[in-house]
């Protein structure tokens, strides 16, 4: 009798499907994935895989982004109700109003947004390429950046570029305060502290000046650890990132900044739901073609910048 992992594996082959999962997915979901990545890496994988179907181990906006990029593939969100506080913080009507108040502004939206918001956007970015995207824009133009005000503040601090910011936050990373980072730096002087730029402390110059602190997207943290001679790392992001960090670096020590840094929305994707998508086509992502075409443009521009 096949167990659930064996059934998933057989159905994947029968359906010519791949499972893409974010590093914040539950460890058992990460373990059945064909590819793991951060938001940027997963967008690239969705664009390049030659599978006919993608099962997305992540929240809904991620599966939707894959469906925008790959219209010729069937894309499934096993947990269609898996939301994101950032994506929920702005809708297309509110974004249009913001644009009307700043008619000359360039709209840069974090990839954590709905297809309808991307359709109103000039450039998308992820945490991995946000600085690069902003630096690529003409200096004499106003920039409206949303919805993550912490990432926006971080980019302004790094680039020196002023931007108008939307006031959304990731409810998980917004818990990460400057005080928590300063405490960790004092407690673990021999560790590197890796912080996601969605954190509340991301624009704090006192934190940015600490010698052992680095800001990275999730995949950036994995690259930093594999290229570092250090033995100990404080991880200031969603705690299931540590699952992959430990697998790739069994000899190193990972200290979660706080056990509460858990995205419950990501954990809505379970093996049972992945199986239901493969077996019965549950959670297929369907986007109307006009929204999809408009939403593709800012994603393409982002992927071209890097
Ligand atoms: P990255 O995947 O860009 O690291 O973003 C993290 C995140 O919160 C995704 O929802
Ligand atoms: Fe959204 Fe934050 Fe969860 Fe990522 S970790 S999906 S940004 S709520």
């Amino acid at each position: 009798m096949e167990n659930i992992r064996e059934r998933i594996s057989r159905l994947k082959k029968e359906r010519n499907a791949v499972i893409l999962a974010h590093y914040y997915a539950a460890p058992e979901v990460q373990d059945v994935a064909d590819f793991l990545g951060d938001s940027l890496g997963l967008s690239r994988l969705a664009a390049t895989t030659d599978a006919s179907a993608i099962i997305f181990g992540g929240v809904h906006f991620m599966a939707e982004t894959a469906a925008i990029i790959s219209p010729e593939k069937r894309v499934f969100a096993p947990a269609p109700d898996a939301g994101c506080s950032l994506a929920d913080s702005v809708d297309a009507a509110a974004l249009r109003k913001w644009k009307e108040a700043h008619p000359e502004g360039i709209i840069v939206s974090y990839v954590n947004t709905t297809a309808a918001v991307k359709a109103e956007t000039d450039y998308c970015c992820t945490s991995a390429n946000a600085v690069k995207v902003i630096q690529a824009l003409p200096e004499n133009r106003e920039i409206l950046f949303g919805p993550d005000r912490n990432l926006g503040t971080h980019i302004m601090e790094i680039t020196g570029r002023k931007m108008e910011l939307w006031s959304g936050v990731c409810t998980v990373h917004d818990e990460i305060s400057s005080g928590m980072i300063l405490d960790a730096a004092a407690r673990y002087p021999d560790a590197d502290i890796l912080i996601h730029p969605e954190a509340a402390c991301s624009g704090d110059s006192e934190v940015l000046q600490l010698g052992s602190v680095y800001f990275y997207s999730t995949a950036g943290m994995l690259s930093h650890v594999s290229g570092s001679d250090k033995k100990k790392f404080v991880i200031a992001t969603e705690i299931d990132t540590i699952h992959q960090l430990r697998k790739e670096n069994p000899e190193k020590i990972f200290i979660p900044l706080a056990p509460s840094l858990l995205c419950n929305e990501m954990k809505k994707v379970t093996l049972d739901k992945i199986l239901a998508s493969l077996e019965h086509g549950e959670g297929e992502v369907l986007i109307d073609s006009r929204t999809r075409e408009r939403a593709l443009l800012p994603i393409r521009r982002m992927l071209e910048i890097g």
Side-chain angles (χ1 to χ4, degrees):
M1 172 92 174
E2 280 179 322
N3 66 30
I4 190 160
R5 284 160 178 265
E6 289 161 347
R7 282 169 77 190
I8 288 173
S9 172
R10 174 176 54 77
L11 283 164
K12 256 187 350 190
K13 283 188 203 117
E14 285 174 18
R15 308 269 194 270
N16 187 24
V18 284
I19 300 176
L20 306 188
H22 195 275
Y23 295 114
Y24 301 168
E28 64 275 18
V29 169
Q30 295 190 34
D31 289 344
V32 298
D34 298 284
F35 301 102
L36 284 173
D38 64 1
S39 304
L40 180 61
L42 292 172
S43 302
R44 291 193 190 287
L45 284 163
T48 52
T49 174
D50 52 14
S52 343
I54 296 173
I55 314 290
F56 216 104
V59 292
H60 191 262
F61 81 78
M62 295 181 166
E64 209 180 40
T65 305
I68 294 166
I69 295 172
S70 301
E72 70 294 351
K73 291 161 202 150
R74 295 182 73 190
V75 177
F76 298 89
D81 62 333
C84 165
S85 60
L86 283 168
D88 290 347
S89 73
V90 57
D91 63 15
L95 185 56
R96 274 196 297 271
K97 252 194 167 162
W98 204 30
K99 272 163 71 163
E100 277 162 27
H102 301 265
E104 301 301 319
I106 301 176
I107 304 286
V108 181
S109 292
Y110 199 25
V111 75
N112 300 37
T113 44
T114 60
V117 164
K118 289 185 177 84
E120 300 288 340
T121 290
D122 297 310
Y123 289 81
C124 278
C125 71
T126 76
S127 65
N129 62 14
V131 166
K132 228 172 172 180
V133 168
I134 296 303
Q135 284 172 333
L137 300 181
E139 278 182 22
N140 57 350
R141 294 283 303 277
E142 184 180 27
I143 298 174
L144 309 188
F145 184 91
D148 189 345
R149 68 155 190 253
N150 292 335
L151 177 65
T153 309
H154 180 70
I155 298 166
M156 290 203 290
E157 192 66 35
I158 300 286
T159 62
R161 183 92 195 242
K162 269 204 143 345
M163 303 191 292
E164 289 293 320
L165 302 182
W166 194 259
S167 66
V169 291
C170 159
T171 45
V172 179
H173 290 96
D174 196 47
E175 266 192 48
I176 303 173
S177 66
S178 304
M180 286 162 85
I181 299 298
L182 296 171
D183 279 356
R187 214 161 147 205
Y188 306 106
D190 53 341
D192 279 353
I193 303 179
L194 310 184
I195 310 175
H196 198 283
E198 287 171 9
C201 64
S202 290
D204 184 335
S205 51
E206 198 183 349
V207 169
L208 280 161
Q209 276 160 24
L210 286 171
S212 56
V213 156
Y214 302 85
F215 282 88
Y216 286 119
S217 76
T218 322
M221 292 186 187
L222 276 123
S223 309
H224 177 95
V225 169
S226 62
S228 167
D229 294 335
K230 284 264 175 89
K231 182 128 180 45
K232 206 182 273 180
F233 302 87
V234 175
I235 303 301
T237 190
E238 215 278 350
I239 55 170
D240 279 335
T241 306
I242 293 179
H243 179 64
Q244 193 58 24
L245 283 164
R246 284 200 178 118
K247 270 173 104 172
E248 290 183 17
N249 307 276
E251 75 293 357
K252 299 191 175 179
I253 297 164
F254 300 100
I255 303 153
L257 181 74
S260 55
L261 297 174
L262 194 85
C263 179
N264 290 319
E265 298 301 311
M266 286 279 186
K267 312 311 167 198
K268 287 183 177 171
V269 179
T270 60
L271 293 187
D272 284 336
K273 289 181 186 167
I274 288 176
L275 185 63
S277 289
L278 280 164
E279 217 158 31
H280 310 298
E282 298 279 337
E284 182 159 8
V285 179
L286 301 169
I287 307 169
D288 74 82
S289 58
R290 169 128 179 82
T291 304
R292 193 199 73 77
E293 275 159 30
R294 292 179 64 213
L296 182 58
L297 192 64
I299 298 174
R300 270 218 183 112
R301 287 180 177 148
M302 164 185 89
L303 292 174
E304 277 160 17
I305 290 171

